[in-house]
């Protein structure tokens, strides 16, 4: 009988990467900028900044990010 090919081991799933200090600082800075944009009634800029935060590791997100993003989108007439 011919030898059976050995299957390669399946990769072990890795936990999500921890946020770096630079990513955490970036999230804080973007959030401050977004809050300032909201106070200036510049909701399109606030949406853009909140969406940039969402591209960072979730562990860096401010607790109110999703709520504030949804509210800013409503102000611009944008919907998910």
């Amino acid at each position: 009988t011919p030898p059976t090919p050995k299957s390669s081991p399946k990769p072990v799933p890795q936990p999500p990467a921890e946020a770096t200090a630079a990513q955490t600082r970036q999230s804080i800075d973007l959030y401050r900028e977004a809050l300032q944009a909201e106070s200036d009634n510049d909701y399109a800029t606030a949406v853009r900044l909140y969406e940039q935060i969402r591209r960072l590791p979730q562990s860096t997100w401010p607790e109110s990010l999703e709520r504030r993003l949804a509210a800013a989108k409503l102000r611009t007439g944008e919907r998910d």
Side-chain angles (χ1 to χ4, degrees):
T1 59
T4 55
K6 292 184 179 180
S7 62
S8 56
K10 293 184 180 178
V12 177
Q14 298 296 314
E18 288 298 314
T20 65
Q23 289 171 318
T24 300
R25 169 55 53 201
Q26 183 181 14
S27 178
I28 292 167
D29 291 345
L30 289 168
Y31 190 68
R32 287 181 179 154
E33 288 179 51
L35 293 176
Q36 182 61 51
E38 280 190 55
S39 72
D40 294 339
N41 296 319
D42 185 356
Y43 296 101
T45 296
V47 167
R48 181 180 54 78
L49 292 165
Y50 289 138
E51 288 177 341
Q52 283 183 302
I53 295 169
R54 288 176 83 193
R55 289 193 284 276
L56 294 169
Q58 192 168 359
S59 63
T60 68
W61 295 3
E63 189 174 310
S64 62
L65 176 63
E66 294 296 332
R67 183 175 32 92
R68 296 197 78 93
L69 175 58
K73 282 183 173 183
L74 281 175
R75 295 283 191 138
T76 65
E78 187 179 332
R79 300 206 185 264
D80 276 332

